[in-house]
Amino acid sequence: MRIEEDKKLDFKDVLIRPKRSTLRSRKDVDITREYKFKWSGRSYHGFPLIAANMDGVGTFAMAKAFIENDNKMSVAIHKHYPLEELIAFYDKHGSESLWYSIGMVQADQEKLEAFLKERPDMIDKICVDVANGYSEHFVDFVSQIREMVPKATIMAGNVVTGEMVEELTLAGVDVVKVGIGPGSVCTTRIMTGVGYPQLSAIIECADAAHGLGGLICADGGCTVPGDIAKAFGAGADFVMLGGMLAGHDQSEQKIVKKDGEKCIQFYGMSSDTAMTRHKGGVAEYRASEGKTVTIPYRGDVNDTLQDIMGGVRSACTYVGARHLKELPKRTTFVRVTQQINNVFGS
Ligand code: 5GP
């Protein structure tokens, strides 16, 4: 047994230190980024936020809202839509804002093959998602997908350490997804004791990926717009959100009344709720479970997106980053013992 003595940090452990700046207002800030993906050779230009491939988040309705919002954010469409509906949606809306999601199960691979047979060049981005990205089998699986779709951009994970980011990047992954256990409806840490503080995971994994010309997506653990700014400041190229985008009109979930308030159910993709809903479809998640929560209904996601973009823009102003790209270079984190003033409740 070995103990690593280095302190590892979460979003809650730090704040971004303000710096002298010549920026006059938030309007002077450009929060888009431009990337060229290592393997697909494709380009991306937009606000690099991705809606997670979860029921209630990675929905067609969310994708429509993102497309209309016009900031080139993207949605990892959850994998439980039937093939015909997926094809119809791609036909109608194009692929620019969409990640096609698959897990490491045969049924998903067959569905992808069937899609590619029908529309050979339509899928340009794929999200390969497993709870534990550390199995050798996963690396082989990702290599297979790379062979199947040589020209598609592949995002895959999840992992939390540099050596695995390197291995996946070398195996053909354009964007390595980072995060084990930080999710809002994830119980991995409770059930298994496994995980890694998310801010440190982002810092270390970004360093590993960037050294090889790869990219990372920070996935999970953002609870407020400031956490997203911290994730970008720590070096994340993309940030994926579940809980922060749940509970909106775009969730495609029933709105229920609880104590007179409108609420929506939100659940992890390996929770009992998801298992019951998609029998057999999520078996690969079984080792690390998720929970089900009832959250207040929050209206149109566009208001939340506005808050998020406003927060990130403002963070850039505080440190003098005219472009989002400069945020990590201008970020100094300070360790803190308190984040916010809770005198009137949290
Ligand atoms: P959030 O933004 O809600 O904090 O985190 C979203 C992420 O949590 C997702 O992108 C996914 O990686 C992870 N996640 C979603 N469902 C589950 C689950 O049932 N179990 C676990 N361990 N993680 C989940």
Coordinates of all heavy atoms in Angstrom, one line a residue, residues 247-303:
G247 N -33.3 19.6 -15.4 CA -34.5 20.2 -14.8 C -35.1 21.3 -15.6 O -35.9 22.1 -15.2
H248 N -34.7 21.4 -16.9 CA -35.3 22.5 -17.8 C -36.3 22.0 -18.7 O -36.6 20.8 -18.8 CB -34.1 23.1 -18.6 CG -33.1 23.8 -17.8 ND1 -31.9 23.2 -17.3 CD2 -33.1 25.1 -17.3 CE1 -31.2 24.1 -16.6 NE2 -31.9 25.2 -16.6
D249 N -36.9 22.9 -19.4 CA -37.9 22.5 -20.4 C -37.4 21.5 -21.4 O -38.1 20.7 -22.0 CB -38.3 23.8 -21.3 CG -39.1 24.8 -20.5 OD1 -39.8 24.3 -19.5 OD2 -39.0 26.0 -20.8
Q250 N -36.1 21.6 -21.6 CA -35.4 20.7 -22.7 C -35.1 19.3 -22.2 O -34.5 18.5 -22.9 CB -34.1 21.4 -23.1 CG -34.4 22.6 -24.0 CD -34.8 23.9 -23.3 OE1 -34.8 23.9 -22.0 NE2 -35.1 24.9 -24.0
S251 N -35.5 19.0 -20.9 CA -35.1 17.7 -20.3 C -35.9 16.5 -20.9 O -35.5 15.4 -20.7 CB -35.4 17.7 -18.8 OG -34.5 18.7 -18.2
E252 N -37.0 16.8 -21.5 CA -37.9 15.7 -22.0 C -38.3 14.8 -20.9 O -38.3 13.6 -21.1 CB -37.2 14.9 -23.2 CG -36.9 15.8 -24.4 CD -36.2 15.1 -25.6 OE1 -36.0 13.9 -25.4 OE2 -36.0 15.7 -26.6
Q253 N -38.5 15.3 -19.7 CA -38.9 14.6 -18.6 C -40.3 15.2 -18.1 O -40.5 16.4 -18.3 CB -37.9 14.6 -17.4 CG -36.5 14.1 -17.8 CD -36.4 12.6 -17.6 OE1 -37.2 12.0 -16.9 NE2 -35.5 12.0 -18.4
K254 N -41.0 14.3 -17.4 CA -42.3 14.8 -16.9 C -42.1 15.8 -15.7 O -41.2 15.6 -14.9 CB -43.1 13.6 -16.3 CG -44.3 13.3 -17.0 CD -45.4 12.5 -16.3 CE -44.9 11.5 -15.3 NZ -45.2 10.1 -15.4
I255 N -42.9 16.9 -15.8 CA -42.8 17.9 -14.7 C -43.9 17.4 -13.6 O -45.0 17.1 -14.0 CB -43.1 19.3 -15.1 CG1 -42.1 19.7 -16.2 CG2 -43.2 20.3 -14.0 CD1 -42.4 21.1 -16.8
V256 N -43.4 17.2 -12.4 CA -44.4 16.8 -11.4 C -44.5 17.8 -10.3 O -43.6 18.7 -10.2 CB -43.9 15.4 -10.7 CG1 -44.0 14.3 -11.7 CG2 -42.5 15.5 -10.2
K257 N -45.5 17.7 -9.5 CA -45.7 18.7 -8.4 C -45.3 18.0 -7.1 O -45.7 16.9 -6.8 CB -47.2 19.1 -8.3 CG -47.6 20.1 -9.3 CD -47.7 21.5 -8.6 CE -47.8 22.7 -9.6 NZ -49.2 23.1 -9.8
K258 N -44.5 18.7 -6.3 CA -44.1 18.2 -5.0 C -44.2 19.4 -4.0 O -43.6 20.4 -4.2 CB -42.6 17.7 -5.0 CG -42.2 16.8 -3.9 CD -40.8 16.4 -4.1 CE -40.2 15.9 -2.8 NZ -38.8 15.7 -2.9
D259 N -45.1 19.2 -3.0 CA -45.4 20.3 -2.1 C -45.8 21.5 -2.8 O -45.3 22.6 -2.5 CB -44.2 20.6 -1.1 CG -43.8 19.3 -0.4 OD1 -44.7 18.5 -0.1 OD2 -42.6 19.2 -0.1
G260 N -46.5 21.4 -3.9 CA -47.0 22.6 -4.6 C -46.0 23.1 -5.6 O -46.3 24.0 -6.4
E261 N -44.7 22.7 -5.5 CA -43.7 23.2 -6.4 C -43.5 22.3 -7.6 O -43.6 21.0 -7.5 CB -42.3 23.3 -5.7 CG -42.3 24.2 -4.5 CD -42.5 25.7 -4.9 OE1 -42.0 26.1 -5.9 OE2 -43.2 26.4 -4.1
K262 N -43.2 22.9 -8.8 CA -42.9 22.1 -10.0 C -41.5 21.4 -9.9 O -40.6 22.2 -9.6 CB -43.0 22.9 -11.2 CG -44.4 23.3 -11.7 CD -44.2 24.1 -13.0 CE -45.6 24.5 -13.5 NZ -45.5 25.4 -14.7
C263 N -41.4 20.2 -10.1 CA -40.2 19.5 -10.0 C -39.9 18.5 -11.2 O -40.9 18.1 -11.9 CB -40.1 18.6 -8.7 SG -40.1 19.6 -7.2
I264 N -38.7 18.1 -11.3 CA -38.4 17.1 -12.4 C -37.4 16.1 -11.8 O -36.5 16.4 -11.0 CB -37.7 17.8 -13.6 CG1 -38.7 18.6 -14.4 CG2 -37.1 16.8 -14.5 CD1 -38.2 19.3 -15.6
Q265 N -37.6 14.8 -12.2 CA -36.7 13.8 -11.7 C -35.4 13.8 -12.5 O -35.4 14.0 -13.7 CB -37.4 12.5 -11.8 CG -37.0 11.5 -10.8 CD -37.6 10.1 -10.9 OE1 -37.7 9.6 -12.1 NE2 -38.1 9.6 -9.9
F266 N -34.3 13.6 -11.8 CA -33.0 13.6 -12.5 C -32.2 12.4 -11.9 O -32.3 12.2 -10.7 CB -32.2 14.9 -12.3 CG -30.8 14.9 -12.9 CD1 -30.6 14.6 -14.3 CD2 -29.7 15.3 -12.2 CE1 -29.4 14.6 -14.8 CE2 -28.4 15.3 -12.7 CZ -28.3 15.0 -14.1
Y267 N -31.6 11.6 -12.8 CA -30.9 10.4 -12.3 C -29.7 10.1 -13.1 O -29.5 10.5 -14.2 CB -31.9 9.2 -12.4 CG -32.6 9.1 -13.7 CD1 -32.1 8.4 -14.7 CD2 -33.9 9.7 -13.9 CE1 -32.7 8.3 -15.9 CE2 -34.5 9.6 -15.1 CZ -34.0 8.9 -16.1 OH -34.6 8.8 -17.3
G268 N -28.8 9.4 -12.4 CA -27.5 8.9 -13.0 C -27.8 7.8 -14.0 O -28.8 7.2 -13.9
M269 N -26.9 7.7 -15.0 CA -27.2 6.8 -16.1 C -27.0 5.3 -15.6 O -27.3 4.4 -16.4 CB -26.4 7.1 -17.3 CG -26.8 8.4 -18.0 SD -28.6 8.6 -18.1 CE -29.0 7.3 -19.3
S270 N -26.5 5.1 -14.4 CA -26.4 3.8 -13.9 C -27.3 3.6 -12.7 O -27.1 2.6 -11.9 CB -25.0 3.4 -13.6 OG -24.5 4.3 -12.6
S271 N -28.2 4.5 -12.4 CA -29.1 4.4 -11.3 C -30.2 3.4 -11.6 O -30.4 3.0 -12.7 CB -29.8 5.8 -11.1 OG -30.5 6.1 -12.3
D272 N -30.8 3.0 -10.5 CA -32.0 2.0 -10.7 C -33.0 2.6 -11.7 O -33.5 1.9 -12.5 CB -32.7 1.8 -9.4 CG -31.8 0.9 -8.5 OD1 -30.8 0.4 -9.0 OD2 -32.1 0.9 -7.3
T273 N -33.2 3.9 -11.6 CA -34.2 4.5 -12.5 C -33.8 4.3 -14.0 O -34.7 3.9 -14.8 CB -34.3 6.0 -12.2 OG1 -34.4 6.2 -10.8 CG2 -35.5 6.6 -12.9
A274 N -32.6 4.6 -14.3 CA -32.1 4.4 -15.7 C -32.2 3.0 -16.1 O -32.6 2.6 -17.2 CB -30.7 5.0 -15.8
M275 N -31.8 2.1 -15.1 CA -31.8 0.6 -15.5 C -33.2 0.2 -15.8 O -33.4 -0.6 -16.7 CB -31.3 -0.2 -14.2 CG -30.0 0.2 -13.8 SD -28.8 -1.0 -14.3 CE -27.4 -0.4 -13.4
T276 N -34.1 0.6 -15.0 CA -35.5 0.2 -15.2 C -36.0 0.7 -16.5 O -36.7 0.0 -17.2 CB -36.4 0.7 -14.0 OG1 -35.7 0.5 -12.8 CG2 -37.7 0.0 -14.0
R277 N -35.7 1.9 -16.8 CA -36.1 2.6 -18.0 C -35.6 2.0 -19.3 O -36.3 1.8 -20.3 CB -35.7 4.0 -17.9 CG -36.8 4.9 -18.5 CD -36.6 6.3 -18.2 NE -37.7 7.0 -18.9 CZ -38.0 8.2 -18.8 NH1 -37.2 9.0 -18.0 NH2 -38.9 8.8 -19.5
H278 N -34.3 1.6 -19.2 CA -33.7 1.2 -20.4 C -33.1 -0.3 -20.3 O -32.0 -0.6 -20.7 CB -32.5 2.0 -20.8 CG -32.7 3.5 -20.8 ND1 -33.5 4.1 -21.7 CD2 -32.3 4.5 -19.9 CE1 -33.6 5.4 -21.4 NE2 -32.9 5.7 -20.4
K279 N -33.9 -1.1 -19.7 CA -33.5 -2.5 -19.3 C -32.4 -3.0 -20.2 O -32.5 -3.1 -21.4 CB -34.7 -3.4 -19.5 CG -35.6 -3.5 -18.3 CD -36.7 -4.5 -18.5 CE -37.9 -4.1 -17.7 NZ -39.0 -3.6 -18.3
G280 N -31.3 -3.4 -19.6 CA -30.2 -4.1 -20.3 C -29.3 -3.1 -21.0 O -28.2 -3.4 -21.3
G281 N -29.7 -1.9 -21.2 CA -28.9 -0.9 -21.9 C -27.7 -0.4 -21.2 O -26.8 0.2 -21.8
V282 N -27.7 -0.5 -19.9 CA -26.7 0.2 -19.1 C -25.9 -0.7 -18.2 O -25.3 -0.3 -17.3 CB -27.3 1.4 -18.3 CG1 -27.6 2.6 -19.1 CG2 -28.5 0.9 -17.5
A283 N -25.9 -2.0 -18.6 CA -25.2 -3.0 -17.8 C -23.8 -2.6 -17.5 O -23.3 -2.9 -16.4 CB -25.3 -4.3 -18.4
E284 N -23.1 -2.0 -18.4 CA -21.7 -1.7 -18.2 C -21.4 -0.8 -17.1 O -20.3 -0.6 -16.6 CB -21.0 -1.2 -19.5 CG -21.2 0.3 -19.8 CD -22.5 0.6 -20.6 OE1 -23.5 -0.2 -20.5 OE2 -22.5 1.6 -21.3
Y285 N -22.4 -0.1 -16.6 CA -22.3 0.9 -15.5 C -22.4 0.3 -14.2 O -22.2 0.9 -13.2 CB -23.3 2.0 -15.7 CG -22.9 3.2 -16.3 CD1 -23.6 3.7 -17.5 CD2 -21.8 4.0 -15.9 CE1 -23.2 4.9 -18.1 CE2 -21.4 5.1 -16.5 CZ -22.1 5.6 -17.6 OH -21.7 6.7 -18.2
R286 N -22.8 -1.0 -14.2 CA -23.3 -1.6 -12.9 C -22.3 -1.5 -11.7 O -22.8 -1.4 -10.6 CB -23.7 -3.1 -13.2 CG -24.9 -3.4 -12.4 CD -25.7 -4.5 -13.1 NE -26.8 -4.0 -13.8 CZ -27.7 -4.7 -14.4 NH1 -27.5 -6.0 -14.5 NH2 -28.7 -4.1 -15.0
A287 N -21.0 -1.5 -12.0 CA -20.1 -1.4 -10.9 C -20.1 -0.1 -10.1 O -19.8 -0.1 -9.0 CB -18.7 -1.7 -11.4
S288 N -20.5 0.9 -10.8 CA -20.5 2.2 -10.1 C -21.9 2.9 -10.3 O -22.2 3.3 -11.4 CB -19.4 3.1 -10.6 OG -19.6 3.2 -12.0
E289 N -22.6 2.9 -9.2 CA -24.0 3.2 -9.4 C -24.3 4.7 -9.4 O -23.4 5.5 -9.0 CB -24.8 2.5 -8.3 CG -24.9 1.1 -8.5 CD -25.0 0.2 -7.3 OE1 -25.3 0.8 -6.2 OE2 -24.6 -1.0 -7.4
G290 N -25.5 5.1 -9.7 CA -25.9 6.5 -9.7 C -27.2 6.6 -8.9 O -27.9 5.6 -8.6
K291 N -27.5 7.8 -8.5 CA -28.7 8.0 -7.7 C -29.8 8.8 -8.5 O -29.5 9.4 -9.5 CB -28.4 8.7 -6.4 CG -27.8 10.1 -6.5 CD -27.5 10.6 -5.1 CE -26.7 11.9 -5.2 NZ -26.2 12.3 -3.9
T292 N -31.0 8.8 -7.9 CA -32.1 9.6 -8.4 C -32.5 10.7 -7.5 O -32.6 10.5 -6.3 CB -33.3 8.6 -8.6 OG1 -32.9 7.5 -9.4 CG2 -34.5 9.3 -9.2
V293 N -32.6 11.9 -8.0 CA -33.0 13.0 -7.2 C -34.2 13.7 -7.8 O -34.4 13.6 -9.0 CB -31.9 14.0 -7.0 CG1 -30.7 13.4 -6.2 CG2 -31.3 14.5 -8.3
T294 N -35.0 14.5 -7.0 CA -36.0 15.3 -7.6 C -35.6 16.7 -7.4 O -35.3 17.2 -6.3 CB -37.3 15.0 -6.8 OG1 -37.6 13.6 -6.9 CG2 -38.5 15.8 -7.4
I295 N -35.5 17.4 -8.5 CA -35.0 18.8 -8.5 C -36.0 19.8 -8.9 O -36.9 19.5 -9.7 CB -33.7 18.9 -9.3 CG1 -34.0 18.6 -10.8 CG2 -32.6 18.1 -8.8 CD1 -32.8 18.8 -11.7
P296 N -35.9 21.1 -8.5 CA -36.9 22.0 -8.9 C -36.9 22.3 -10.4 O -35.8 22.2 -11.0 CB -36.4 23.3 -8.2 CG -35.5 22.9 -7.2 CD -34.9 21.6 -7.6
Y297 N -38.0 22.4 -11.0 CA -38.1 22.8 -12.5 C -37.5 24.1 -12.7 O -37.8 25.1 -11.9 CB -39.6 22.7 -12.9 CG -39.9 23.4 -14.2 CD1 -39.5 22.9 -15.4 CD2 -40.7 24.6 -14.1 CE1 -39.8 23.6 -16.5 CE2 -41.1 25.2 -15.3 CZ -40.6 24.8 -16.5 OH -40.9 25.4 -17.7
R298 N -36.7 24.3 -13.7 CA -36.0 25.6 -13.9 C -36.3 26.3 -15.1 O -35.5 27.2 -15.5 CB -34.5 25.3 -13.8 CG -34.1 24.7 -12.4 CD -32.8 23.9 -12.5 NE -31.7 24.8 -12.7 CZ -30.5 24.4 -13.2 NH1 -30.3 23.1 -13.4 NH2 -29.5 25.2 -13.4
G299 N -37.3 26.0 -15.9 CA -37.7 26.8 -17.0 C -36.8 26.5 -18.2 O -36.3 25.4 -18.4
D300 N -36.6 27.5 -19.0 CA -35.9 27.4 -20.3 C -34.4 27.3 -20.0 O -33.8 28.2 -19.3 CB -36.2 28.6 -21.2 CG -35.7 28.5 -22.6 OD1 -34.8 27.6 -22.8 OD2 -36.1 29.3 -23.4
V301 N -33.7 26.4 -20.7 CA -32.3 26.3 -20.5 C -31.5 27.5 -21.0 O -30.4 27.8 -20.5 CB -31.7 25.0 -21.2 CG1 -31.6 25.2 -22.7 CG2 -30.4 24.5 -20.5
N302 N -32.1 28.3 -21.9 CA -31.4 29.5 -22.4 C -31.0 30.4 -21.2 O -29.9 31.1 -21.3 CB -32.2 30.2 -23.4 CG -32.0 29.5 -24.8 OD1 -30.9 29.6 -25.3 ND2 -33.0 28.9 -25.3
D303 N -31.8 30.5 -20.2 CA -31.5 31.4 -19.1 C -30.3 30.9 -18.4 O -29.4 31.7 -18.0 CB -32.7 31.5 -18.1 CG -33.9 32.1 -18.8 OD1 -33.7 32.9 -19.8 OD2 -35.1 31.8 -18.5

